[in-house]
């Protein structure tokens, strides 16, 4: 029971942080017609093609969710900041462009499995993150303001 409560608390805290980072304020503003953010547009030089989107840190902006080994993984990126939430932990940090887009995170519980990750691919719909701890996450883009599906239920109090 105690583990379920901790897991629920970690997931809730991570989702609240992710929502704050991605600006889920519900202000009613519409995104650009092509669905991209201004940051993503401004970072592309004229003539760049979408095939290079995996090499652009701004292309990682937004919410991403999926399952790895049957466990939910949620990544949220906004303004160079990142939050990663799994069923066991929450990690926060930054996105860095080091010739390759990298996630540099620190987990609240000190775990190091998902602290340094490189973006293997990002086509705007699916991102693949390869972590130094050996894990590889394949995550799908989520709708702005939507809570990803497939997360475990929070325990009843």
């Amino acid at each position: 029971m105690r583990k379920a409560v901790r897991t629920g608390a970690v997931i809730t805290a991570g989702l609240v942080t992710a929502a704050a980072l991605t600006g889920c304020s519900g202000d009613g503003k519409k995104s650009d017609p092509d669905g991209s953010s201004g940051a993503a547009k401004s970072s592309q030089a004229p003539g760049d093609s979408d095939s290079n989107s995996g090499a652009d840190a701004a292309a990682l902006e937004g919410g991403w969710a999926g399952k790895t080994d049957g466990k939910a993984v949620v990544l949220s990126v906004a303004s160079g900041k990142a939050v990663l939430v799994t069923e066991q932990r929450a990690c926060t940090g930054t996105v860095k462009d080091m010739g390759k887009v990298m996630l540099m995170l620190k987990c609240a519980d000190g775990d190091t499995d998902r602290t340094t990750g490189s973006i293997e691919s990002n086509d705007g719909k699916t991102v693949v993150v390869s972590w130094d701890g050996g894990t590889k996450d394949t995550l799908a883009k989520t709708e702005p303001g939507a809570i990803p599906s497939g997360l475990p239920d929070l325990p009843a109090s």
Side-chain angles (χ1 to χ4, degrees):
M1 175 71 177
R2 188 174 185 179
K3 183 177 179 183
V5 170
R6 278 188 290 173
T7 300
V10 167
I11 290 170
T12 301
L15 288 174
V16 168
T17 304
L21 273 177
T22 57
C24 297
S25 63
D27 60 4
K29 292 182 182 176
K30 299 285 184 193
S31 63
D32 290 337
D34 65 359
S36 62
S37 71
K41 285 182 184 177
S42 64
S43 64
Q44 281 187 329
D48 279 356
S49 70
D50 288 337
S51 64
N52 195 25
S53 65
D56 185 354
L60 194 58
E61 296 273 324
W64 304 87
K67 286 190 175 188
T68 301
D69 298 329
K71 297 182 179 179
V73 178
V74 177
L75 173 67
S76 182
V77 178
S79 302
K81 305 287 184 199
V83 174
L84 180 82
V85 179
T86 67
E87 289 185 358
Q88 295 85 21
R89 64 192 39 93
C91 309
T92 59
T94 59
V95 177
K96 301 205 182 255
D97 192 344
M98 304 166 73
K100 188 170 197 173
V101 179
M102 303 288 293
L103 294 169
M104 310 301 283
L105 307 178
K106 183 174 182 179
C107 299
D109 65 357
D111 186 77
T112 58
D113 286 346
R114 286 186 172 107
T115 53
T116 304
S118 63
I119 305 304
E120 296 290 320
S121 65
N122 180 358
D123 65 5
K125 295 179 183 172
T126 304
V127 66
V128 178
V129 184
S130 185
W131 299 98
D132 281 356
T135 303
K136 187 179 277 191
D137 294 322
T138 301
L139 308 172
K141 186 81 167 180
T142 61
E143 291 296 318
I147 295 177
S149 61
L151 296 176
D153 292 330
L154 294 175
S157 49

